[in-house]
Structures are given as structure tokens and as C-alpha cells.
Amino acid sequence: MAPGNIGIVGAGLVGLGWAIVFARAGHAVRLYDNAPGAAAEARRTIALRLDDLRQAGLIDEAPATILARVSVADSLAEALEDALYVQESVLERVDVKNSVMREIDALVGPATWIGSSSSGLPASLYTEGLGCRDRCLVAHPVNPPYLAPIVELVPAPWTSPATLDSVRTLMQAVGQAPVTMSQEAPGFILNRLQAVLLMEAWRLVEAGLASVADVDLTVSQGLGLRWAFMGPFETIDLNAPGGIADYARRLGGLYRDIAAETTEQRGWDNELIARIEAQRREVLPEAELVARSAWRDRRLMALALHKRRMDSADAAGTDPAATPGTQ
Amino acid sequence: MAPGNIGIVGAGLVGLGWAIVFARAGHAVRLYDNAPGAAAEARRTIALRLDDLRQAGLIDEAPATILARVSVADSLAEALEDALYVQESVLERVDVKNSVMREIDALVGPATWIGSSSSGLPASLYTEGLGCRDRCLVAHPVNPPYLAPIVELVPAPWTSPATLDSVRTLMQAVGQAPVTMSQEAPGFILNRLQAVLLMEAWRLVEAGLASVADVDLTVSQGLGLRWAFMGPFETIDLNAPGGIADYARRLGGLYRDIAAETTEQRGWDNELIARIEAQRREVLPEAELVARSAWRDRRLMALALHKRRMDSADAAGTDPAATPGTQ
């Protein structure tokens, strides 16, 4: 897909993350935010993030070259002009999204697709009455999208198949990993999977069966290792001699019994929240949250670089694991 | 903990994986299997695995030095003699474990702890009548334990606190990451978390909401990235300005609603298994399962090395992400 104009509406953390994704891929990005100065501030943050990415070895071009593709739009109209694609990244509230989408509808050209970064609100809640509604869908990223490639594409009932196909192609072209839902469902794919695992994690602690720290270790030193480069289906497909059907026949009953047993949950009331929080604060004092978040970002960058090198070696048919020091 | 004798009972894939863990840490390992020749065959496989680990940069000693610590025991008595710890890794069937544990009970000294590699059967089902029962517990690894450090320690009602403490200390000393359950529960921690996520993954495909390939991408390119180095609690603790309590108040209701909606599951019947399998076989033909498993093992080794280097850099206070080419 040839480089084009990309409009980013809403220049918070999500919007500036998207700006990096599109500018990194060669597109001209126009950042707009209705709060005065917010887009210019976001562009300064983008400059810092590009320096981090360059230092980590995650971008090949000079940060200034990529930054030069990001401009601040003084009006919504300027951000949308001749746009190939618009990424709406405003506050996660139906009334706010509704109002912004109506403004976009009045200004946008007939060939522009519009994706919403909504992490939970389906597009049907704020695009129904729009003239451009067949070109609207949810394109939900994980933060930050320039390190976590996944993007969930969720069509409203009136989203055209051509829109879904085109946005999917665009996302692949800019290096993201688009996945598609056939229709809207609460939590989309990612948060549905996260929801069930989190509910069970909380339940284990609530029942006194395990500590917060031990549940975290079980994932970070066990379950999460394969899941960082294979999904859950591929994991079980490789865990029985006859593949996934063999695995399902051996373990399906056990998993169903366990899952059925995990439905007695009282929800996260204040008392339980306080207990879980107390355990987390023993592991990490509140004063260290910011520093730990910076650590997480460094680890995510290093993991992204590691995965990129491994994927390149896979594609080239070489085995970097045989060459210590290069992966 | 000073090097001692470790008895491995059952020399299948799990037993030989444990042998590598203990021998790598300096212990003298005695491998026993009641099938003639099985332990000697396992020792030859261990030699191959040690070469792989050396090539991947995951062991510092010469493979032959580590292999020299692994001997084949010709009898169960020989494997158990003066053992600090016994890791039982026989077939996952109550009658088989029961029979082996009775034999162990008759031979084992009074200072030996006994851990079972059982992935699902709680120790109470096969240790109740034993004289050594207060020194028995489940020590469940993820395969292969020399790459995935997690080990779940699950006490039977009669397991002594001293046993739990001692085995925990031993596991930490050999480089594993032990987690402890307060009491037995089906699936322990790891498979409970895996069960709920898998059930929802299957449900998404069953309902036609997403494909097998897209569910896998959602984890491998999104959810699984943080989980490879942080657990689910730490992930959400860093995903809201005020930490985990702030996050729980914002999103607890949504997750509970999603989780409540995921309970209508018909189980994995043959028709559904066939549908899921057909999708997986489009992604990976059956003939490629073995090659893909070898790929998974290379990726697990590379990820283990990556994490080790990042952890060392964290401990040293340096930032390897700032030094391209070293992580």
C-alpha cells in the first residue's frame, strides 16, 4: 500500500502510539486534538519514543526522518484532508465518541476509512446515524501499538466487507498483526481472554489457594513463555502426539470440569480489592509504580527486538539459537 | 543447599527433563525406570539435550561434565539410596502412582523428600497410607523444566510444612521458580488458568466470532507479550495510574460481565473438535507437527536465554536495551 495521509484524532497515549506506527511505515501523519497544545505536546513525546526505539535497535531510519512525517493539524478538517485512513483515539465514552464521529462524518472524504481505538465500546454505539458508517469499524490496539503488533478489527453490522479488507491490508502493511471478529461481542477477543484468566487469578487468591506473587510467577515463568510466540491453540496442538484433536480428547473433560468450577465468583468487591492490592504492594510499593512501568517498556522493547530477530532467522532458514550472542 | 543425591523415578520425557535440572545445578542424579533399558536411553537423550543447551548458550559447563553427574540406577533401591530428594515421574494414573509410591515408601530413608511430577492427580490420592506421607507432595513442572522454570508445589493434607519449605528451597537452589498452593485443587494453579483461557478460546471459535489463527495471534502478538515476563496481576497493576485497585474499580465490572457470559459452553464434542482441528491443519499440516515442535523448542531456548540476559542486566542495573546486539 503506497504511503498516504493518515489522520489521528485524539493525541493521548493511544493516538501518539498510532502516529509512531504509521509514520514508521512511511505514511504522512496528521495529529489532531481539540485540547489546545495537546497535539504539539504529543509530537514532542513521539520524538522521545522514537529515540528510545532507535536506541533499542527497533527502527532503522533516523528518528528525525520519521518525526518529520508527523505534523500537527490545527483543525479536524486539516487532519482529515485527503486522508487514506483516520484513527479515532478519543476518550472511551459513548457520548464523546458519538460527538467526534459526527464531526468526522461532516468533514471526511468518500474514500477514507475510519477506525476507532475503542477498547470496549463497539462501533455500532456511535456510528449508526453517520453517512460514512459503512467505512467505520473498531481497530483496537494494545498499548503501545508500536511494540505490541496486535490490532482487533471489529465491524459494526453496517461496516462494508471492503472496509474490513482494506483496513486489514493497511494494518498488515504497517507491520501490525490484525485479527478480525465476525461481529461485535463485549471485550472483543483480547479482553475476553484476559477477563476469564484474570477472574480465575483473583478467585485463586480469594479462595486462599495461592498468593498474588505466585499466580504471577506461574504465568511469567510457565504459561506465558509459549504464549509469547505461539497462541493457546498452537500450544496444545504441539502438546499431544496426534495434535490438537488428540489433546482435546485427552484433556477436554478435565478443562471443562475446571472451568465449570470457576464460575462461583463474587466479583471484585472492595474487601477483595484491598486484599489483592495489599499483596501487590508488598511486592511493589506504590512509589515504584512509575519506575516499574518504565522497566516494563524496556522489557517490551527488548522482547520485540528478540522476536523480530528470531522471526527473521526463521524466515531465512537459519538458527540463531546456534549462534550465541546474536539473538 | 549442598549438592546431594537426587533419585529420578520414571525416565520418560518428564523424568529426563528433571535430571537435566538437577545435574545442571551440581547434584548427583540417579535415573531409574522399571522398563529395561529405558533409563540408559533417557541418558543418551540427555546428552543430546545438553549439547543443544550448550549451543544455545544456556549452560556454562561442558555437557560431558554435567552428563557425568547422571547415572543409571539398576534398581529402585539404588536410585533412592542416600537421596536428598526423589522426583517421581511415572505415568499419570492413580494405580501406577500408588504402586510406585508404595515401593518407594518401603525403600526410602527417613530424611528424603518425595515430589511427584503429577500434572493433575493430587498427592492425597496415592500417598495416604504411606509411612513417608508427611514427606510427599506434588512438584509439577512445565515441560521441559530446564527451559520453563515454574514448578507447582501442592501439599497433601498430611504433607509437613518442613517438607514444603525444604522442597521449595531445593527448587530455588536449582534455578526453578517454585509456587505454592495452600491445599489441593483440580488443575493446580497453571492448568486452572490455562483451562479458563482455553475454554474461552474454543468458545470464540465455536460461536464463529474469530478463527483459530486469529485467537492465536491475539495472544502471541498481544496478551502473551507482557505475560512472558510479568504475570497478570503485575500487568494490570501497571495499567492504571493508581495501580491494581484503581484498575479493578475501572474494569472489574466489565470483566465480571464478560466472564459471566462465557459460561455457556457445550464442551469439546467431536464435531467441535473436528472443526477446530480442520482450522489448525490449514495453518499447520499434520506432517509438520514434529518439525514445528522442534521449532518451538528452539524458540523456548532462545527466549530463556533472552530472559536470562535481561534479568542479569536488571540485577546489574544496566540497560541492555540501550546496547543493540547484546540481548
Side-chain angles (χ1 to χ4, degrees):
Chain A
M1 200 168 280
N5 296 320
I6 306 288
I8 307 280
V9 179
L13 270 184
V14 177
L16 75 85
W18 276 116
I20 291 172
V21 166
F22 290 111
R24 178 178 67 179
H27 293 283
V29 173
R30 289 175 301 200
L31 264 180
Y32 174 73
D33 198 294
N34 67 357
E41 177 63 31
R43 193 171 181 277
R44 284 189 287 275
T45 304
I46 289 170
L48 299 174
R49 291 297 87 77
L50 288 171
D51 286 342
D52 293 343
L53 291 171
R54 176 68 177 182
Q55 273 211 307
L58 282 165
I59 51 177
D60 297 324
E61 292 186 296
T65 305
I66 296 173
L67 187 63
R69 296 188 192 117
V70 180
S71 61
V72 170
D74 292 324
S75 67
L76 183 60
E78 189 184 330
L80 304 186
E81 198 184 340
D82 292 328
L84 177 67
Y85 176 69
V86 173
Q87 183 78 40
E88 171 273 296
S89 304
V90 302
L91 194 65
E92 186 84 355
R93 245 173 52 197
V94 173
D95 59 334
V96 176
K97 290 207 186 276
N98 235 318
S99 148
V100 167
M101 288 302 296
R102 274 200 300 270
E103 289 181 64
I104 290 174
D105 191 37
L107 291 163
V108 80
T112 306
W113 310 298
I114 303 111
S116 170
S117 298
S118 168
S119 62
L121 302 173
S124 57
L125 291 181
Y126 44 87
T127 62
E128 183 167 12
L130 307 182
C132 67
R133 70 179 199 170
D134 63 314
R135 286 173 283 124
C136 294
L137 79 177
V138 162
H140 172 229
V142 163
N143 245 333
Y146 50 85
L147 294 179
I150 197 72
V151 50
E152 299 186 277
L153 303 182
V154 188
W158 40 80
T159 304
S160 73
T163 297
L164 196 55
D165 282 354
S166 302
V167 175
R168 189 175 176 91
T169 302
L170 171 67
M171 289 297 176
Q172 278 170 333
V174 299
Q176 300 306 99
V179 294
T180 308
M181 290 200 89
S182 60
Q183 60 185 83
E184 297 174 339
F188 310 144
I189 303 170
L190 187 141
N191 278 327
R192 292 181 80 83
L193 296 171
Q194 179 163 236
V196 292
L197 188 133
L198 276 177
M199 290 304 286
E200 178 57 14
W202 282 66
R203 214 195 68 87
L204 282 163
V205 178
E206 179 186 354
L209 289 168
S211 70
V212 164
D214 279 2
V215 169
D216 270 357
L217 273 179
T218 303
V219 175
S220 67
Q221 303 291 330
L223 263 186
L225 301 179
R226 284 166 176 76
W227 288 351
F229 60 91
M230 305 193 296
F233 283 112
E234 181 151 31
T235 296
I236 64 173
D237 195 31
L238 301 180
N239 266 354
I244 195 165
D246 184 17
Y247 186 96
R249 286 189 199 100
R250 290 171 193 237
L251 289 163
L254 172 67
Y255 286 154
R256 188 181 46 195
D257 291 348
I258 292 172
E261 205 191 79
T262 62
T263 54
E264 341 106 29
Q265 286 169 319
R266 69 174 191 206
W268 302 350
D269 63 18
N270 284 335
E271 192 273 329
L272 180 59
I273 291 174
R275 272 170 57 198
I276 300 257
E277 186 188 27
Q279 284 199 33
R280 261 306 290 169
R281 293 289 75 84
E282 275 175 41
V283 179
L284 185 78
E286 188 169 1
E288 293 174 26
L289 277 170
V290 171
R292 189 70 175 170
S293 297
W295 167 85
R296 174 202 58 200
D297 292 345
R298 286 196 305 274
R299 292 292 296 244
L300 272 180
M301 279 194 280
L303 182 60
L305 185 63
H306 166 76
K307 288 188 67 177
R308 180 182 299 186
R309 287 174 177 171
M310 294 302 296
D311 290 343
S312 300
D314 281 348
T318 58
D319 181 359
T323 317
T326 61
Q327 66 277 29
Chain B
M1 198 168 278
N5 297 321
I6 306 288
I8 307 279
V9 179
L13 270 182
V14 177
L16 76 84
W18 276 116
I20 291 173
V21 166
F22 289 111
R24 178 179 66 179
H27 293 284
V29 173
R30 290 176 299 201
L31 264 180
Y32 174 74
D33 197 294
N34 67 358
E41 176 63 31
R43 191 171 182 277
R44 286 189 287 275
T45 304
I46 290 170
L48 298 175
R49 291 295 88 78
L50 288 171
D51 286 341
D52 293 344
L53 291 170
R54 177 66 177 184
Q55 272 213 307
L58 282 164
I59 52 177
D60 298 324
E61 291 186 297
T65 306
I66 297 173
L67 186 64
R69 297 188 194 117
V70 180
S71 61
V72 170
D74 293 324
S75 67
L76 182 60
E78 189 184 331
L80 303 186
E81 197 184 341
D82 292 328
L84 177 67
Y85 176 68
V86 172
Q87 183 77 40
E88 172 273 295
S89 304
V90 303
L91 194 65
E92 185 82 356
R93 244 173 52 196
V94 173
D95 58 335
V96 176
K97 291 206 184 279
N98 233 318
S99 149
V100 168
M101 289 302 297
R102 273 200 302 269
E103 289 181 64
I104 291 174
D105 192 37
L107 292 163
V108 80
T112 306
W113 311 298
I114 303 111
S116 169
S117 298
S118 169
S119 61
L121 302 172
S124 57
L125 292 183
Y126 43 87
T127 63
E128 183 165 12
L130 306 182
C132 67
R133 68 179 200 169
D134 63 313
R135 287 173 283 123
C136 294
L137 80 174
V138 162
H140 171 230
V142 164
N143 245 333
Y146 49 85
L147 294 179
I150 196 72
V151 51
E152 300 186 276
L153 303 181
V154 187
W158 39 81
T159 303
S160 73
T163 297
L164 196 55
D165 282 354
S166 302
V167 176
R168 188 175 177 90
T169 302
L170 171 66
M171 290 296 174
Q172 278 170 332
V174 299
Q176 300 305 99
V179 295
T180 309
M181 290 201 88
S182 61
Q183 62 185 78
E184 298 174 340
F188 310 143
I189 304 171
L190 187 140
N191 278 328
R192 292 182 78 83
L193 296 171
Q194 179 164 235
V196 292
L197 188 132
L198 276 178
M199 290 304 285
E200 179 57 13
W202 282 66
R203 215 195 68 86
L204 282 163
V205 178
E206 178 187 353
L209 289 168
S211 69
V212 164
D214 278 2
V215 169
D216 270 357
L217 273 179
T218 302
V219 174
S220 67
Q221 302 291 329
L223 264 185
L225 301 178
R226 284 166 176 77
W227 287 351
F229 61 91
M230 304 192 297
F233 283 113
E234 179 150 33
T235 295
I236 65 175
D237 196 30
L238 301 180
N239 267 353
I244 195 165
D246 185 15
Y247 185 95
R249 286 189 199 100
R250 290 171 193 238
L251 288 162
L254 171 68
Y255 287 155
R256 188 181 46 194
D257 291 347
I258 292 173
E261 205 191 78
T262 63
T263 53
E264 339 107 31
Q265 286 170 319
R266 70 175 189 206
W268 302 349
D269 62 18
N270 284 335
E271 192 273 331
L272 180 59
I273 290 174
R275 274 170 56 196
I276 300 256
E277 188 188 26
Q279 284 198 32
R280 260 307 289 167
R281 292 290 75 82
E282 276 174 39
V283 178
L284 186 78
E286 188 168 2
E288 292 174 26
L289 276 170
V290 171
R292 189 72 176 170
S293 296
W295 167 86
R296 173 202 59 202
D297 292 345
R298 287 197 305 274
R299 291 291 297 243
L300 272 179
M301 278 195 279
L303 182 61
L305 184 63
H306 166 77
K307 289 189 67 176
R308 180 183 298 185
R309 288 175 176 171
M310 294 301 297
D311 290 344
S312 300
D314 282 349
T318 58
D319 180 0
T323 316
T326 60
Q327 67 276 25

